Amino acid sequence: MKKKSEVGYRLRGPDGLEMDLPIRSSTIGPDVIDIAKLYREQGVFTYDPGFVSTGSCESDITFIDGEKGILMYRGYPVEQLASHSSFIEVSYLLLYGELPTAEELDNFDSNIRGHTKISEGMLSFLNGFRCDAHPMAMLSAVVGSMSAYYHEEMDASKKEHRDIFSYRILAKLPTIAAAAYRLNSGQSFVYPRSNLSYCENLLHMLFAAPDEYYEINPIASEALDLLFILHADHEQNCSTSTVRMAGSSGANPYSAIAAGITALWGPAHGGANEAVLNMLEEIGDVSQIGKYVEKAKDKNDPFRLMGFGHRVYKNFDPRATIIREMCYKVLEKLDQKDTPLFDLARELEQVALSDDYFREKNLYPNVDFYSGIIYRALGIPSSMFTVMFALGRSVGWTAHWREMITDPRGKIARPRQLYKGPSARDYKLISER
Ligand code: CMC
């Protein structure tokens, strides 16, 4: 690759053939080299495992600068949204591109509240799972089943269908998540209440007993609302790219969201918050921290410090900075500041931050390091942590699906490969092998 010129980048092949690759400018952040015609004109593909240098689409939704620790939704810094907005308002912003007026927000909120119920059939489907089924497995399956319930009302070319799809995803996922939790804990299902806010309703469905008044702790709903804002979108991460890719074939979007949920589940992605708590429990005591930090540094040991490092953020994760503060606030208010688990987390953070290995590789606590501690303090079991992440991220997936499906240049996502298998050979009869 030669230097950037007015025309773009000049590519010179081994046979001396040259090609100018156009540059496409971003609003902020790095420009991209447009290689769309590369194969047609040069007969070669690019190779980029894990897509570390590849832009898969054009997007107006979220901007991240990993070096400076910047995250913005539709241009608004996440710190400002975290301080002044609510998850419902941020959802509107992500879906429609602008902050709502008071009337627009009110209508949007009513629409979400009006779609929180799930059909009894969906509930029966969920009740068919074993009571020890992982809630992420149940969430992806039941969200996938929504494609069976709402297939007829899902013509992606109609704005009203895209809107109802968005409301249903936002409104019904908490109900499904809470039902999965209740099944796991052997308790009966609690129906949603439309007079409660988004996070209050979720807490009510998770924890209310059928025979008693359940008082919602304001710090619990405040913390959840903040966590959902911070998880709401993160541009082309693994699960969002999965939703875009599955949806690019024109598949029913509820199944595309279900695919995103399964991608989120992995421990390298949203599953890390559950893995952080499991890791802290495995470490068990501050006296064991040194041993586990050494394990994480050992190339021959697969163990990694969960909740540390990020593909994009190389200095700090701005979400982690905000969540860390909320983590202290929640533990203080709930009188859990001096629990052994939190002591252990604090000490591990300090040891890792002052260790040369983690400093040199720019491995800082990420969003998942603190979110699990907050969920634990709120009484949410670790198997539900990634489900909570999915509830926040559901609006990001939905916004990306909407952007992808309405993009006039949209194409089915179909990467190529570097084939390294055998070259052509003749079939041998089984008797001759
Ligand atoms: N503990 C120990 N070493 C690590 C860690 C860690 N948590 N993370 C990265 N490294 C090392 C890694 O071994 C590699 O070393 P070397 O250069 O010697 O081969 C170097 O740091 C770069 O790591 P990488 O795996 O090439 O980086 P990546 O960008 O592909 O991976 C990551 C990013 C988040 C998958 C990784 O840091 C990781 O596995 N972290 C733990 C899991 C985790 O907390 N995930 C949540 C991510 S934030 C939530 C979300 O967005 O989903």
PDB file of all heavy atoms in Angstrom, residues 234 264 267-270 272 296-297 299 303-311 314 317 319 357-358 361 363 366-368 389, ligand 1:
ATOM      1  N   HIS A 234     -22.826   0.061  21.046  1.00  0.00           N
ATOM      2  CA  HIS A 234     -21.365   0.112  21.010  1.00  0.00           C
ATOM      3  C   HIS A 234     -20.880  -0.161  19.596  1.00  0.00           C
ATOM      4  O   HIS A 234     -19.998  -0.992  19.390  1.00  0.00           O
ATOM      5  CB  HIS A 234     -20.780  -0.887  22.021  1.00  0.00           C
ATOM      6  CG  HIS A 234     -19.556  -0.370  22.669  1.00  0.00           C
ATOM      7  ND1 HIS A 234     -18.425  -1.099  22.831  1.00  0.00           N
ATOM      8  CD2 HIS A 234     -19.273   0.860  23.179  1.00  0.00           C
ATOM      9  CE1 HIS A 234     -17.507  -0.363  23.427  1.00  0.00           C
ATOM     10  NE2 HIS A 234     -17.999   0.826  23.648  1.00  0.00           N
ATOM     11  N   LEU A 264     -23.841 -12.410  22.038  1.00  0.00           N
ATOM     12  CA  LEU A 264     -23.494 -11.657  23.253  1.00  0.00           C
ATOM     13  C   LEU A 264     -23.083 -12.582  24.392  1.00  0.00           C
ATOM     14  O   LEU A 264     -22.319 -12.202  25.280  1.00  0.00           O
ATOM     15  CB  LEU A 264     -24.699 -10.805  23.692  1.00  0.00           C
ATOM     16  CG  LEU A 264     -24.454  -9.882  24.886  1.00  0.00           C
ATOM     17  CD1 LEU A 264     -23.652  -8.656  24.464  1.00  0.00           C
ATOM     18  CD2 LEU A 264     -25.755  -9.439  25.531  1.00  0.00           C
ATOM     19  N   PRO A 267     -18.068 -15.440  26.674  1.00  0.00           N
ATOM     20  CA  PRO A 267     -17.311 -14.755  27.721  1.00  0.00           C
ATOM     21  C   PRO A 267     -16.371 -13.655  27.221  1.00  0.00           C
ATOM     22  O   PRO A 267     -15.969 -12.787  27.998  1.00  0.00           O
ATOM     23  CB  PRO A 267     -16.517 -15.880  28.399  1.00  0.00           C
ATOM     24  CG  PRO A 267     -16.508 -16.998  27.419  1.00  0.00           C
ATOM     25  CD  PRO A 267     -17.749 -16.867  26.592  1.00  0.00           C
ATOM     26  N   ALA A 268     -16.033 -13.661  25.916  1.00  0.00           N
ATOM     27  CA  ALA A 268     -15.187 -12.575  25.405  1.00  0.00           C
ATOM     28  C   ALA A 268     -16.033 -11.331  25.138  1.00  0.00           C
ATOM     29  O   ALA A 268     -15.507 -10.253  24.851  1.00  0.00           O
ATOM     30  CB  ALA A 268     -14.485 -13.011  24.124  1.00  0.00           C
ATOM     31  N   HIS A 269     -17.356 -11.469  25.197  1.00  0.00           N
ATOM     32  CA  HIS A 269     -18.263 -10.345  24.899  1.00  0.00           C
ATOM     33  C   HIS A 269     -19.109 -10.111  26.158  1.00  0.00           C
ATOM     34  O   HIS A 269     -18.562  -9.946  27.235  1.00  0.00           O
ATOM     35  CB  HIS A 269     -19.074 -10.742  23.664  1.00  0.00           C
ATOM     36  CG  HIS A 269     -19.852  -9.647  22.997  1.00  0.00           C
ATOM     37  ND1 HIS A 269     -19.762  -8.328  23.339  1.00  0.00           N
ATOM     38  CD2 HIS A 269     -20.771  -9.701  21.977  1.00  0.00           C
ATOM     39  CE1 HIS A 269     -20.571  -7.607  22.564  1.00  0.00           C
ATOM     40  NE2 HIS A 269     -21.210  -8.426  21.738  1.00  0.00           N
ATOM     41  N   GLY A 270     -20.426 -10.146  26.042  1.00  0.00           N
ATOM     42  CA  GLY A 270     -21.283  -9.815  27.189  1.00  0.00           C
ATOM     43  C   GLY A 270     -21.203 -10.823  28.317  1.00  0.00           C
ATOM     44  O   GLY A 270     -21.535 -10.502  29.463  1.00  0.00           O
ATOM     45  N   ALA A 272     -18.805 -11.729  29.796  1.00  0.00           N
ATOM     46  CA  ALA A 272     -17.700 -11.419  30.712  1.00  0.00           C
ATOM     47  C   ALA A 272     -18.199 -10.985  32.092  1.00  0.00           C
ATOM     48  O   ALA A 272     -17.530 -11.249  33.089  1.00  0.00           O
ATOM     49  CB  ALA A 272     -16.803 -10.337  30.110  1.00  0.00           C
ATOM     50  N   ALA A 296      -2.806 -15.164  34.729  1.00  0.00           N
ATOM     51  CA  ALA A 296      -3.306 -14.360  33.595  1.00  0.00           C
ATOM     52  C   ALA A 296      -2.168 -13.928  32.675  1.00  0.00           C
ATOM     53  O   ALA A 296      -2.357 -13.756  31.463  1.00  0.00           O
ATOM     54  CB  ALA A 296      -4.054 -13.141  34.112  1.00  0.00           C
ATOM     55  N   LYS A 297      -0.971 -13.786  33.249  1.00  0.00           N
ATOM     56  CA  LYS A 297       0.179 -13.328  32.453  1.00  0.00           C
ATOM     57  C   LYS A 297       0.897 -14.479  31.757  1.00  0.00           C
ATOM     58  O   LYS A 297       1.715 -14.251  30.858  1.00  0.00           O
ATOM     59  CB  LYS A 297       1.168 -12.591  33.383  1.00  0.00           C
ATOM     60  CG  LYS A 297       0.652 -11.243  33.810  1.00  0.00           C
ATOM     61  CD  LYS A 297       1.203 -10.726  35.125  1.00  0.00           C
ATOM     62  CE  LYS A 297       2.685 -10.624  35.238  1.00  0.00           C
ATOM     63  NZ  LYS A 297       3.088  -9.950  36.507  1.00  0.00           N
ATOM     64  N   LYS A 299       1.574 -17.172  29.261  1.00  0.00           N
ATOM     65  CA  LYS A 299       1.139 -17.470  27.877  1.00  0.00           C
ATOM     66  C   LYS A 299       0.634 -18.907  27.731  1.00  0.00           C
ATOM     67  O   LYS A 299      -0.168 -19.212  26.860  1.00  0.00           O
ATOM     68  CB  LYS A 299       2.329 -17.285  26.910  1.00  0.00           C
ATOM     69  CG  LYS A 299       2.564 -15.874  26.510  1.00  0.00           C
ATOM     70  CD  LYS A 299       1.824 -15.541  25.216  1.00  0.00           C
ATOM     71  CE  LYS A 299       1.267 -14.144  25.164  1.00  0.00           C
ATOM     72  NZ  LYS A 299      -0.014 -13.855  25.662  1.00  0.00           N
ATOM     73  N   PHE A 303      -6.061 -18.921  31.245  1.00  0.00           N
ATOM     74  CA  PHE A 303      -6.777 -18.009  32.149  1.00  0.00           C
ATOM     75  C   PHE A 303      -6.509 -16.541  31.793  1.00  0.00           C
ATOM     76  O   PHE A 303      -5.373 -16.154  31.544  1.00  0.00           O
ATOM     77  CB  PHE A 303      -6.348 -18.286  33.600  1.00  0.00           C
ATOM     78  CG  PHE A 303      -6.971 -17.353  34.599  1.00  0.00           C
ATOM     79  CD1 PHE A 303      -8.282 -17.536  35.009  1.00  0.00           C
ATOM     80  CD2 PHE A 303      -6.257 -16.270  35.105  1.00  0.00           C
ATOM     81  CE1 PHE A 303      -8.863 -16.662  35.923  1.00  0.00           C
ATOM     82  CE2 PHE A 303      -6.834 -15.385  36.021  1.00  0.00           C
ATOM     83  CZ  PHE A 303      -8.143 -15.598  36.426  1.00  0.00           C
ATOM     84  N   ARG A 304      -7.559 -15.755  31.748  1.00  0.00           N
ATOM     85  CA  ARG A 304      -7.436 -14.304  31.546  1.00  0.00           C
ATOM     86  C   ARG A 304      -8.165 -13.600  32.670  1.00  0.00           C
ATOM     87  O   ARG A 304      -9.146 -14.139  33.192  1.00  0.00           O
ATOM     88  CB  ARG A 304      -8.107 -13.889  30.230  1.00  0.00           C
ATOM     89  CG  ARG A 304      -7.240 -14.123  29.041  1.00  0.00           C
ATOM     90  CD  ARG A 304      -7.885 -13.588  27.786  1.00  0.00           C
ATOM     91  NE  ARG A 304      -6.900 -13.627  26.709  1.00  0.00           N
ATOM     92  CZ  ARG A 304      -6.987 -12.948  25.589  1.00  0.00           C
ATOM     93  NH1 ARG A 304      -8.009 -12.171  25.370  1.00  0.00           N
ATOM     94  NH2 ARG A 304      -6.046 -13.037  24.666  1.00  0.00           N
ATOM     95  N   LEU A 305      -7.732 -12.419  33.015  1.00  0.00           N
ATOM     96  CA  LEU A 305      -8.473 -11.661  34.021  1.00  0.00           C
ATOM     97  C   LEU A 305      -9.738 -11.151  33.359  1.00  0.00           C
ATOM     98  O   LEU A 305      -9.691 -10.266  32.493  1.00  0.00           O
ATOM     99  CB  LEU A 305      -7.660 -10.471  34.514  1.00  0.00           C
ATOM    100  CG  LEU A 305      -6.668 -10.687  35.651  1.00  0.00           C
ATOM    101  CD1 LEU A 305      -6.279  -9.342  36.243  1.00  0.00           C
ATOM    102  CD2 LEU A 305      -7.195 -11.607  36.739  1.00  0.00           C
ATOM    103  N   MET A 306     -10.862 -11.717  33.740  1.00  0.00           N
ATOM    104  CA  MET A 306     -12.121 -11.306  33.127  1.00  0.00           C
ATOM    105  C   MET A 306     -12.478  -9.893  33.598  1.00  0.00           C
ATOM    106  O   MET A 306     -12.207  -9.537  34.754  1.00  0.00           O
ATOM    107  CB  MET A 306     -13.247 -12.298  33.481  1.00  0.00           C
ATOM    108  CG  MET A 306     -12.973 -13.711  33.018  1.00  0.00           C
ATOM    109  SD  MET A 306     -12.346 -13.825  31.325  1.00  0.00           S
ATOM    110  CE  MET A 306     -13.795 -13.470  30.369  1.00  0.00           C
ATOM    111  N   GLY A 307     -13.044  -9.114  32.662  1.00  0.00           N
ATOM    112  CA  GLY A 307     -13.366  -7.729  33.008  1.00  0.00           C
ATOM    113  C   GLY A 307     -12.201  -6.779  32.768  1.00  0.00           C
ATOM    114  O   GLY A 307     -12.277  -5.603  33.112  1.00  0.00           O
ATOM    115  N   PHE A 308     -11.132  -7.294  32.148  1.00  0.00           N
ATOM    116  CA  PHE A 308      -9.989  -6.441  31.801  1.00  0.00           C
ATOM    117  C   PHE A 308      -9.735  -6.519  30.301  1.00  0.00           C
ATOM    118  O   PHE A 308      -9.823  -7.595  29.712  1.00  0.00           O
ATOM    119  CB  PHE A 308      -8.717  -6.887  32.536  1.00  0.00           C
ATOM    120  CG  PHE A 308      -8.668  -6.418  33.952  1.00  0.00           C
ATOM    121  CD1 PHE A 308      -9.397  -7.088  34.927  1.00  0.00           C
ATOM    122  CD2 PHE A 308      -7.935  -5.302  34.306  1.00  0.00           C
ATOM    123  CE1 PHE A 308      -9.378  -6.653  36.241  1.00  0.00           C
ATOM    124  CE2 PHE A 308      -7.915  -4.854  35.619  1.00  0.00           C
ATOM    125  CZ  PHE A 308      -8.638  -5.537  36.599  1.00  0.00           C
ATOM    126  N   GLY A 309      -9.386  -5.389  29.711  1.00  0.00           N
ATOM    127  CA  GLY A 309      -9.038  -5.348  28.292  1.00  0.00           C
ATOM    128  C   GLY A 309     -10.252  -5.064  27.425  1.00  0.00           C
ATOM    129  O   GLY A 309     -11.408  -5.288  27.826  1.00  0.00           O
ATOM    130  N   HIS A 310      -9.985  -4.513  26.269  1.00  0.00           N
ATOM    131  CA  HIS A 310     -11.062  -4.233  25.313  1.00  0.00           C
ATOM    132  C   HIS A 310     -10.475  -4.126  23.920  1.00  0.00           C
ATOM    133  O   HIS A 310      -9.369  -3.611  23.754  1.00  0.00           O
ATOM    134  CB  HIS A 310     -11.793  -2.927  25.674  1.00  0.00           C
ATOM    135  CG  HIS A 310     -13.123  -2.820  25.017  1.00  0.00           C
ATOM    136  ND1 HIS A 310     -13.267  -2.321  23.751  1.00  0.00           N
ATOM    137  CD2 HIS A 310     -14.349  -3.206  25.435  1.00  0.00           C
ATOM    138  CE1 HIS A 310     -14.540  -2.386  23.412  1.00  0.00           C
ATOM    139  NE2 HIS A 310     -15.220  -2.921  24.408  1.00  0.00           N
ATOM    140  N   ARG A 311     -11.205  -4.613  22.930  1.00  0.00           N
ATOM    141  CA  ARG A 311     -10.737  -4.531  21.549  1.00  0.00           C
ATOM    142  C   ARG A 311     -10.533  -3.090  21.106  1.00  0.00           C
ATOM    143  O   ARG A 311      -9.588  -2.761  20.400  1.00  0.00           O
ATOM    144  CB  ARG A 311     -11.756  -5.241  20.630  1.00  0.00           C
ATOM    145  CG  ARG A 311     -11.594  -4.997  19.143  1.00  0.00           C
ATOM    146  CD  ARG A 311     -10.271  -5.473  18.576  1.00  0.00           C
ATOM    147  NE  ARG A 311     -10.038  -6.883  18.716  1.00  0.00           N
ATOM    148  CZ  ARG A 311     -10.520  -7.827  17.903  1.00  0.00           C
ATOM    149  NH1 ARG A 311     -11.263  -7.498  16.889  1.00  0.00           N
ATOM    150  NH2 ARG A 311     -10.238  -9.086  18.112  1.00  0.00           N
ATOM    151  N   LYS A 314      -8.197   1.469  24.466  1.00  0.00           N
ATOM    152  CA  LYS A 314      -6.834   1.105  24.822  1.00  0.00           C
ATOM    153  C   LYS A 314      -6.273   2.000  25.929  1.00  0.00           C
ATOM    154  O   LYS A 314      -5.121   1.838  26.312  1.00  0.00           O
ATOM    155  CB  LYS A 314      -5.926   1.125  23.578  1.00  0.00           C
ATOM    156  CG  LYS A 314      -6.326   0.074  22.522  1.00  0.00           C
ATOM    157  CD  LYS A 314      -6.295  -1.360  23.070  1.00  0.00           C
ATOM    158  CE  LYS A 314      -6.805  -2.390  22.074  1.00  0.00           C
ATOM    159  NZ  LYS A 314      -7.159  -3.692  22.661  1.00  0.00           N
ATOM    160  N   ASP A 317     -12.013   2.630  29.532  1.00  0.00           N
ATOM    161  CA  ASP A 317     -13.360   2.424  29.007  1.00  0.00           C
ATOM    162  C   ASP A 317     -14.244   3.474  29.691  1.00  0.00           C
ATOM    163  O   ASP A 317     -14.420   3.426  30.916  1.00  0.00           O
ATOM    164  CB  ASP A 317     -13.784   0.980  29.360  1.00  0.00           C
ATOM    165  CG  ASP A 317     -15.178   0.622  28.895  1.00  0.00           C
ATOM    166  OD1 ASP A 317     -15.979   1.532  28.663  1.00  0.00           O
ATOM    167  OD2 ASP A 317     -15.462  -0.586  28.792  1.00  0.00           O
ATOM    168  N   ARG A 319     -17.277   3.903  29.905  1.00  0.00           N
ATOM    169  CA  ARG A 319     -18.429   3.312  30.594  1.00  0.00           C
ATOM    170  C   ARG A 319     -18.004   2.807  31.967  1.00  0.00           C
ATOM    171  O   ARG A 319     -18.736   2.920  32.950  1.00  0.00           O
ATOM    172  CB  ARG A 319     -19.012   2.159  29.770  1.00  0.00           C
ATOM    173  CG  ARG A 319     -19.435   2.579  28.369  1.00  0.00           C
ATOM    174  CD  ARG A 319     -19.684   1.376  27.494  1.00  0.00           C
ATOM    175  NE  ARG A 319     -18.517   0.511  27.382  1.00  0.00           N
ATOM    176  CZ  ARG A 319     -18.532  -0.693  26.808  1.00  0.00           C
ATOM    177  NH1 ARG A 319     -19.651  -1.161  26.297  1.00  0.00           N
ATOM    178  NH2 ARG A 319     -17.424  -1.413  26.748  1.00  0.00           N
ATOM    179  N   TYR A 357       2.711  -5.883  33.081  1.00  0.00           N
ATOM    180  CA  TYR A 357       2.082  -6.628  31.987  1.00  0.00           C
ATOM    181  C   TYR A 357       0.781  -5.925  31.563  1.00  0.00           C
ATOM    182  O   TYR A 357       0.560  -5.652  30.381  1.00  0.00           O
ATOM    183  CB  TYR A 357       1.785  -8.062  32.454  1.00  0.00           C
ATOM    184  CG  TYR A 357       0.958  -8.890  31.484  1.00  0.00           C
ATOM    185  CD1 TYR A 357       1.568  -9.723  30.546  1.00  0.00           C
ATOM    186  CD2 TYR A 357      -0.445  -8.864  31.526  1.00  0.00           C
ATOM    187  CE1 TYR A 357       0.811 -10.490  29.670  1.00  0.00           C
ATOM    188  CE2 TYR A 357      -1.204  -9.627  30.649  1.00  0.00           C
ATOM    189  CZ  TYR A 357      -0.573 -10.441  29.732  1.00  0.00           C
ATOM    190  OH  TYR A 357      -1.327 -11.196  28.864  1.00  0.00           O
ATOM    191  N   PHE A 358      -0.070  -5.612  32.515  1.00  0.00           N
ATOM    192  CA  PHE A 358      -1.368  -5.007  32.192  1.00  0.00           C
ATOM    193  C   PHE A 358      -1.197  -3.571  31.697  1.00  0.00           C
ATOM    194  O   PHE A 358      -1.911  -3.137  30.798  1.00  0.00           O
ATOM    195  CB  PHE A 358      -2.301  -5.069  33.412  1.00  0.00           C
ATOM    196  CG  PHE A 358      -2.777  -6.472  33.675  1.00  0.00           C
ATOM    197  CD1 PHE A 358      -2.041  -7.327  34.483  1.00  0.00           C
ATOM    198  CD2 PHE A 358      -3.913  -6.964  33.068  1.00  0.00           C
ATOM    199  CE1 PHE A 358      -2.444  -8.635  34.699  1.00  0.00           C
ATOM    200  CE2 PHE A 358      -4.324  -8.273  33.266  1.00  0.00           C
ATOM    201  CZ  PHE A 358      -3.581  -9.121  34.078  1.00  0.00           C
ATOM    202  N   LYS A 361       0.234  -3.613  28.040  1.00  0.00           N
ATOM    203  CA  LYS A 361      -0.745  -4.051  27.040  1.00  0.00           C
ATOM    204  C   LYS A 361      -2.035  -3.224  27.087  1.00  0.00           C
ATOM    205  O   LYS A 361      -3.014  -3.558  26.418  1.00  0.00           O
ATOM    206  CB  LYS A 361      -1.083  -5.528  27.259  1.00  0.00           C
ATOM    207  CG  LYS A 361       0.083  -6.466  26.965  1.00  0.00           C
ATOM    208  CD  LYS A 361      -0.354  -7.913  27.022  1.00  0.00           C
ATOM    209  CE  LYS A 361       0.808  -8.871  26.963  1.00  0.00           C
ATOM    210  NZ  LYS A 361       1.581  -8.796  25.730  1.00  0.00           N
ATOM    211  N   LEU A 363      -4.323  -2.885  29.413  1.00  0.00           N
ATOM    212  CA  LEU A 363      -5.479  -3.671  29.865  1.00  0.00           C
ATOM    213  C   LEU A 363      -6.056  -3.025  31.120  1.00  0.00           C
ATOM    214  O   LEU A 363      -5.461  -3.088  32.186  1.00  0.00           O
ATOM    215  CB  LEU A 363      -5.048  -5.110  30.149  1.00  0.00           C
ATOM    216  CG  LEU A 363      -4.446  -5.870  28.969  1.00  0.00           C
ATOM    217  CD1 LEU A 363      -3.840  -7.188  29.418  1.00  0.00           C
ATOM    218  CD2 LEU A 363      -5.507  -6.114  27.907  1.00  0.00           C
ATOM    219  N   ASN A 366     -12.859  -3.051  32.253  1.00  0.00           N
ATOM    220  CA  ASN A 366     -13.886  -2.651  31.282  1.00  0.00           C
ATOM    221  C   ASN A 366     -15.256  -2.603  31.960  1.00  0.00           C
ATOM    222  O   ASN A 366     -15.381  -2.858  33.157  1.00  0.00           O
ATOM    223  CB  ASN A 366     -13.856  -3.584  30.058  1.00  0.00           C
ATOM    224  CG  ASN A 366     -14.094  -5.034  30.443  1.00  0.00           C
ATOM    225  OD1 ASN A 366     -14.999  -5.329  31.214  1.00  0.00           O
ATOM    226  ND2 ASN A 366     -13.269  -5.929  29.902  1.00  0.00           N
ATOM    227  N   VAL A 367     -16.266  -2.312  31.170  1.00  0.00           N
ATOM    228  CA  VAL A 367     -17.628  -2.120  31.679  1.00  0.00           C
ATOM    229  C   VAL A 367     -18.110  -3.325  32.498  1.00  0.00           C
ATOM    230  O   VAL A 367     -18.849  -3.180  33.471  1.00  0.00           O
ATOM    231  CB  VAL A 367     -18.566  -1.835  30.473  1.00  0.00           C
ATOM    232  CG1 VAL A 367     -18.705  -3.032  29.561  1.00  0.00           C
ATOM    233  CG2 VAL A 367     -19.898  -1.316  30.877  1.00  0.00           C
ATOM    234  N   ASP A 368     -17.647  -4.502  32.125  1.00  0.00           N
ATOM    235  CA  ASP A 368     -18.156  -5.710  32.781  1.00  0.00           C
ATOM    236  C   ASP A 368     -17.544  -5.947  34.148  1.00  0.00           C
ATOM    237  O   ASP A 368     -18.060  -6.737  34.927  1.00  0.00           O
ATOM    238  CB  ASP A 368     -17.906  -6.933  31.889  1.00  0.00           C
ATOM    239  CG  ASP A 368     -18.859  -6.934  30.714  1.00  0.00           C
ATOM    240  OD1 ASP A 368     -19.990  -6.472  30.895  1.00  0.00           O
ATOM    241  OD2 ASP A 368     -18.465  -7.377  29.627  1.00  0.00           O
ATOM    242  N   PHE A 389     -27.331  -7.285  30.380  1.00  0.00           N
ATOM    243  CA  PHE A 389     -26.582  -6.614  29.300  1.00  0.00           C
ATOM    244  C   PHE A 389     -27.438  -6.626  28.026  1.00  0.00           C
ATOM    245  O   PHE A 389     -27.591  -5.610  27.334  1.00  0.00           O
ATOM    246  CB  PHE A 389     -25.254  -7.363  29.110  1.00  0.00           C
ATOM    247  CG  PHE A 389     -24.232  -6.705  28.212  1.00  0.00           C
ATOM    248  CD1 PHE A 389     -22.874  -7.002  28.384  1.00  0.00           C
ATOM    249  CD2 PHE A 389     -24.573  -5.809  27.208  1.00  0.00           C
ATOM    250  CE1 PHE A 389     -21.903  -6.431  27.566  1.00  0.00           C
ATOM    251  CE2 PHE A 389     -23.606  -5.228  26.395  1.00  0.00           C
ATOM    252  CZ  PHE A 389     -22.274  -5.544  26.566  1.00  0.00           C
TER     253      PHE A 389
HETATM  254  N1  CMC B   1      -6.037 -10.944  30.839  1.00  0.00           N
HETATM  255  C1  CMC B   1      -4.770 -11.240  30.489  1.00  0.00           C
HETATM  256  N2  CMC B   1      -4.223 -10.942  29.290  1.00  0.00           N
HETATM  257  C2  CMC B   1      -5.002 -10.324  28.403  1.00  0.00           C
HETATM  258  C3  CMC B   1      -6.337  -9.972  28.693  1.00  0.00           C
HETATM  259  C4  CMC B   1      -6.847 -10.300  29.968  1.00  0.00           C
HETATM  260  N3  CMC B   1      -8.105  -9.987  30.292  1.00  0.00           N
HETATM  261  N4  CMC B   1      -6.902  -9.360  27.627  1.00  0.00           N
HETATM  262  C5  CMC B   1      -5.943  -9.307  26.688  1.00  0.00           C
HETATM  263  N5  CMC B   1      -4.797  -9.883  27.152  1.00  0.00           N
HETATM  264  C6  CMC B   1      -3.517  -9.977  26.433  1.00  0.00           C
HETATM  265  C7  CMC B   1      -3.574 -11.043  25.347  1.00  0.00           C
HETATM  266  O1  CMC B   1      -3.124 -12.290  25.836  1.00  0.00           O
HETATM  267  C8  CMC B   1      -2.666 -10.461  24.303  1.00  0.00           C
HETATM  268  O2  CMC B   1      -1.343 -10.710  24.688  1.00  0.00           O
HETATM  269  P1  CMC B   1      -0.173 -10.900  23.567  1.00  0.00           P
HETATM  270  O3  CMC B   1      -0.122  -9.590  22.839  1.00  0.00           O
HETATM  271  O4  CMC B   1       1.035 -11.201  24.377  1.00  0.00           O
HETATM  272  O5  CMC B   1      -0.635 -12.036  22.693  1.00  0.00           O
HETATM  273  C9  CMC B   1      -2.886  -8.953  24.405  1.00  0.00           C
HETATM  274  O6  CMC B   1      -3.343  -8.734  25.749  1.00  0.00           O
HETATM  275  C10 CMC B   1      -3.944  -8.414  23.434  1.00  0.00           C
HETATM  276  O7  CMC B   1      -5.135  -9.180  23.614  1.00  0.00           O
HETATM  277  P2  CMC B   1      -6.098  -9.642  22.431  1.00  0.00           P
HETATM  278  O8  CMC B   1      -6.868 -10.824  22.872  1.00  0.00           O
HETATM  279  O9  CMC B   1      -5.304  -9.757  21.168  1.00  0.00           O
HETATM  280  O10 CMC B   1      -7.016  -8.387  22.306  1.00  0.00           O
HETATM  281  P3  CMC B   1      -8.431  -8.375  21.648  1.00  0.00           P
HETATM  282  O11 CMC B   1      -8.683  -6.975  21.274  1.00  0.00           O
HETATM  283  O12 CMC B   1      -8.559  -9.402  20.584  1.00  0.00           O
HETATM  284  O13 CMC B   1      -9.394  -8.854  22.861  1.00  0.00           O
HETATM  285  C11 CMC B   1     -10.820  -8.882  24.710  1.00  0.00           C
HETATM  286  C12 CMC B   1     -10.148  -8.008  23.644  1.00  0.00           C
HETATM  287  C13 CMC B   1     -11.877  -8.022  25.430  1.00  0.00           C
HETATM  288  C14 CMC B   1     -11.544 -10.065  24.063  1.00  0.00           C
HETATM  289  C15 CMC B   1      -9.771  -9.373  25.724  1.00  0.00           C
HETATM  290  O14 CMC B   1      -9.123  -8.277  26.340  1.00  0.00           O
HETATM  291  C16 CMC B   1     -10.342 -10.310  26.777  1.00  0.00           C
HETATM  292  O15 CMC B   1     -10.476 -11.510  26.537  1.00  0.00           O
HETATM  293  N6  CMC B   1     -10.733  -9.749  27.979  1.00  0.00           N
HETATM  294  C17 CMC B   1     -11.369 -10.555  28.985  1.00  0.00           C
HETATM  295  C18 CMC B   1     -12.835 -10.731  28.640  1.00  0.00           C
HETATM  296  C19 CMC B   1     -13.653  -9.466  28.859  1.00  0.00           C
HETATM  297  O16 CMC B   1     -13.549  -8.819  29.885  1.00  0.00           O
HETATM  298  N7  CMC B   1     -14.522  -9.129  27.871  1.00  0.00           N
HETATM  299  C20 CMC B   1     -15.431  -8.009  27.959  1.00  0.00           C
HETATM  300  C21 CMC B   1     -15.189  -6.959  26.930  1.00  0.00           C
HETATM  301  S1  CMC B   1     -16.075  -5.442  27.317  1.00  0.00           S
HETATM  302  C22 CMC B   1     -17.742  -5.854  27.060  1.00  0.00           C
HETATM  303  C23 CMC B   1     -18.102  -5.984  25.631  1.00  0.00           C
HETATM  304  O17 CMC B   1     -17.884  -5.044  24.871  1.00  0.00           O
HETATM  305  O18 CMC B   1     -18.653  -7.038  25.249  1.00  0.00           O
END
